[in-house]
Amino acid sequence: MKLNQWIGVIALSSAPIVVHATAYDVQELPVTELSGSQFGSSIDNSGLILTTLINPFSPPIDMTLFDVANFPLLTDPDAAAQGEFNNNDYAQIVNTYRQNAVSFSTFGQKLANQVIYQTDGTDAQYVFGFDEEQTNTDGFTFGMNTRVAGSANGAYIVGNGSSLFTARDVMSSDGTEFTIVIADVLNRGFVQFDGQVNPLLPLDMTLEGFSSASAINENLQVAGVSSVGVRDLITSGIENCASDDLTIPVEACIYELKTRSQEQFVRRATVWQLDAQGQVVSTTAYDLDFTLDEDELRNFTNEAVAINNSGVAVGTGTVLFNNQGVTAAMVFENGTTRRLLDDDSLLPNFATSINDQGIVVGYQIQAINGQGRAKFFTYDLNTETLTFPDDFFASSSTFPRDINSDGIVVGDAEIDASQSQRRRGGFVYNPQTDEFIDLNTLIPCDTPYSIVAANSINDSGVIVADAAVLRSAKNVRGQPFLDADGNEILETAVVALKLTPNGADAPDCSVDGEEDPNEVRQGASNSMIFILFLTGLALFRRIKR
């Protein structure tokens, strides 16, 4: 089988390849007034969309945790002490509290820099997860970074986050009293249904354990990863926190141990079965596909990232190749773990999604021109057929994100080989016609958006995507920044889009038969800063925990 398929470089203006593709109507999700940038994360067959908001506007300040002495650079400390913040001081405080949340600091309020919202395309609602309404914040705390996994039947939402951060009064060994702000749980999957949130507990609860959800099917099976044990470093850390010689409060010791030890959990792919109320009724953990030596010191892991309605889950796991741990795509089914691709020459490889027909999508890392590139593949579990479709060009790194019941695949790929920092674009792949298409060629010519990634597709063919667009830069309160003349300052932002197929032919954006000089839309900034920003967003989308 020919594994590396070669095609010429396809520019953004390559309209002739999309003659059989349908065009899409474009709708920006109704969350742009809530944050500066958003990701379109998932869409289920009911049309429910989950989107991730980055740095939500106007987060609440808990004045019971605010001490003006901790902010010596405030421009108006007297007003701040009364809870009256000017824009500069408010931004400084919010940025500090957001960093507290990212670093899991022991002290100070925490504010999330990413939260989840659900939308039907018209209204948007906060997916609160483990967050709770508090008097001190006059509502939800917006304190925990929450990561989306998916939804099912328009009602069951799965995600991941920490438990609520709360203030604890503690005493040091020398009798000094002070306040710490900590969470009991740092990483836990959850199911939100009908206003109630149920945790997805791991099999091993040492230090509260670790669990993370990645997907849910319509039969209410949740795929993810959870802890089944701990490494010696955690065991010895717990003993140290119980020592009589401890100089810090035991609560702070245990919390700091949790923040340092997340990689010391023994993690295995896990499937939780829910009942109709979203309660867990059974938990199945999947072991590695090989037997570990008793004296093995390396912490090998696996995890499930997608599951179809037949209960077949796929993901990744460690395999041994020349006695080295290498990542390989895995299938988790009926309690058994097996490699998706047995050919060692295809290592490393990753599975990202599976549909109800047993078609798995993933990517293999290949060495092309001395560089590691991700090359997209499909694998049919029924016929054991492996296919590497042609993508935009031979050395393009291509990441498939989702596949629907018709086998239509969406994702993102490098679309321009001429730049050292390559631009990325969202794609749709139709296996029936073997068309691999830049989504930017399927949306109206006058749209201001440049699609940088397609993240999810449902069985109706509706796609949720991320797009770059030029719009007003806004401060932490959501107010536009103005220049010296009072004009709004523009910047490139990322927004979440809903793309609905309309059955029309792909638009012809040429001008009198010539390439449209404005076809690379305003939102598609090529600046180094924006390319690095989009690279960070791509990494964010791939991170499951």
Side-chain angles (χ1 to χ4, degrees):
M1 178 179 294
K2 186 177 181 181
L3 298 179
N4 295 310
Q5 310 234 359
W6 299 83
I7 59 175
V9 174
I10 299 177
L12 279 174
S13 58
S14 300
I17 67 168
V18 299
V19 292
H20 301 295
T22 181
Y24 290 85
D25 294 327
V26 178
Q27 177 188 353
E28 189 170 324
L29 297 184
V31 290
T32 54
E33 297 303 315
L34 301 176
S35 76
S37 292
Q38 310 89 34
F39 295 110
S41 299
S42 70
I43 183 170
D44 66 22
N45 285 333
S46 76
L48 178 68
I49 297 172
L50 300 181
T51 180
T52 301
L53 275 58
I54 304 302
N55 293 335
F57 295 140
S58 300
I61 303 299
D62 183 347
M63 292 303 295
T64 66
L65 299 176
F66 177 73
D67 185 348
V68 71
N70 294 329
F71 297 91
L73 300 181
L74 295 180
T75 60
D76 192 348
D78 293 335
Q82 303 301 315
E84 299 294 333
F85 308 107
N86 62 42
N87 285 344
N88 289 335
D89 290 348
Y90 184 54
Q92 181 186 157
I93 295 165
V94 168
N95 289 338
T96 298
Y97 288 164
R98 283 175 174 161
Q99 183 56 41
N100 285 351
V102 171
S103 64
F104 288 101
S105 169
T106 308
F107 300 101
Q109 185 180 349
K110 314 296 187 291
L111 287 175
N113 58 18
Q114 63 184 69
V115 296
I116 305 171
Y117 272 74
Q118 67 179 68
T119 178
D120 57 3
T122 303
D123 300 312
Q125 294 178 305
Y126 178 44
V127 178
F128 47 84
F130 295 121
D131 200 359
E132 297 178 11
E133 294 186 273
Q134 303 286 304
T135 302
N136 293 341
T137 52
D138 194 25
F140 288 105
T141 70
F142 291 90
M144 302 95 78
N145 286 308
T146 310
R147 303 172 304 281
V148 64
S151 63
N153 307 325
Y156 302 86
I157 297 172
V158 288
N160 308 283
S162 70
S163 61
L164 188 71
F165 286 95
T166 57
R168 326 277 176 95
D169 293 327
V170 296
M171 182 179 297
S172 64
S173 58
D174 63 2
T176 303
E177 294 184 354
F178 57 96
T179 300
I180 59 177
V181 183
I182 61 176
D184 292 325
V185 181
L186 299 191
N187 288 281
R188 176 137 310 155
F190 65 82
V191 180
Q192 185 169 316
F193 168 70
D194 195 25
Q196 300 296 316
V197 174
N198 299 315
L200 298 169
L201 298 178
L203 292 179
D204 186 281
M205 289 289 290
T206 305
L207 284 185
E208 298 294 340
F210 175 99
S211 69
S212 179
S214 295
I216 182 173
N217 66 16
E218 293 179 357
N219 295 318
L220 305 186
Q221 293 172 302
V222 180
V225 60
S226 70
S227 56
V228 298
V230 295
R231 307 276 285 170
D232 290 343
L233 285 176
I234 288 183
T235 303
S236 60
I238 294 173
E239 293 173 354
N240 291 337
C241 288
S243 170
D244 292 336
D245 298 328
L246 189 66
T247 59
I248 63 174
V250 63
E251 298 94 335
C253 182
I254 291 294
Y255 177 75
E256 292 179 357
L257 176 61
K258 292 175 183 177
T259 66
R260 299 193 309 267
S261 305
Q262 292 300 296
E263 297 302 321
Q264 298 302 315
F265 289 106
V266 179
R267 303 178 185 182
R268 295 291 181 265
T270 304
V271 174
W272 294 269
Q273 177 66 63
L274 311 179
D275 61 18
Q277 286 70 47
Q279 299 275 358
V280 176
V281 296
S282 67
T283 304
T284 303
Y286 286 82
D287 209 347
L288 303 175
D289 79 325
F290 62 94
T291 301
L292 286 172
D293 294 336
E294 292 184 1
D295 58 351
E296 179 59 66
L297 298 179
R298 291 169 291 185
N299 188 14
F300 296 137
T301 64
N302 60 12
E303 67 175 312
V305 301
I307 188 167
N308 67 12
N309 287 325
S310 298
V312 181
V314 296
T316 58
T318 306
V319 299
L320 286 178
F321 180 67
N322 293 333
N323 200 36
Q324 297 295 316
V326 183
T327 301
M330 293 288 169
V331 179
F332 309 103
E333 183 180 13
N334 297 326
T336 301
T337 304
R338 69 180 189 274
R339 281 177 62 174
L340 179 71
L341 308 174
D342 290 328
D343 189 346
D344 288 342
S345 69
L346 298 174
L347 294 171
N349 52 73
F350 304 77
T352 58
S353 191
I354 182 173
N355 70 4
D356 290 340
Q357 286 65 47
I359 309 299
V360 182
V361 294
Y363 59 95
Q364 178 208 359
I365 302 299
Q366 299 180 8
I368 300 176
N369 299 329
Q371 300 290 326
R373 303 294 187 187
K375 304 308 292 184
F376 154 48
F377 67 77
T378 65
Y379 186 83
D380 190 330
L381 292 176
N382 305 295
T383 63
E384 299 183 350
T385 302
L386 174 66
T387 304
F388 282 82
D390 289 338
D391 47 13
F392 289 125
F393 53 91
S395 63
S396 171
S397 274
T398 301
F399 294 97
R401 305 295 179 186
D402 199 10
I403 181 172
N404 71 4
S405 60
D406 292 325
I408 307 299
V409 181
V410 296
D412 55 278
E414 293 170 335
I415 58 178
D416 191 344
S418 65
Q419 299 172 329
S420 58
Q421 296 291 333
R422 296 173 169 179
R423 284 190 297 121
R424 302 193 67 81
F427 74 81
V428 58
Y429 170 69
N430 187 337
Q432 303 301 319
T433 58
D434 197 30
E435 292 175 314
F436 188 92
I437 306 166
D438 181 356
L439 275 168
N440 289 288
T441 65
L442 302 179
I443 59 177
C445 303
D446 59 353
T447 179
Y449 308 107
S450 180
I451 298 171
V452 296
N455 301 319
S456 183
I457 182 171
N458 67 11
D459 290 345
S460 298
V462 182
I463 298 171
V464 173
D466 303 330
V469 65
L470 195 64
R471 59 183 38 181
S472 297
K474 295 182 179 180
N475 64 20
V476 72
R477 286 191 164 104
Q479 302 163 337
F481 283 112
L482 304 179
D483 62 19
D485 297 324
N487 300 313
E488 293 186 2
I489 298 173
L490 301 182
E491 67 175 2
T492 302
V494 176
V495 297
L497 300 182
K498 175 184 178 182
L499 307 178
T500 304
N502 58 27
D505 291 336
D508 180 4
C509 296
S510 61
V511 179
D512 296 328
E514 299 294 330
E515 180 180 336
D516 183 354
N518 297 316
E519 188 172 357
V520 178
R521 300 180 175 93
Q522 285 184 313
S525 169
N526 286 318
S527 70
M528 179 65 69
I529 293 175
F530 186 64
I531 289 171
L532 293 175
F533 176 57
L534 290 183
T535 300
L537 298 192
L539 289 173
F540 168 82
R541 286 193 297 272
R542 289 195 286 277
I543 292 173
K544 294 295 183 181
R545 59 181 180 271

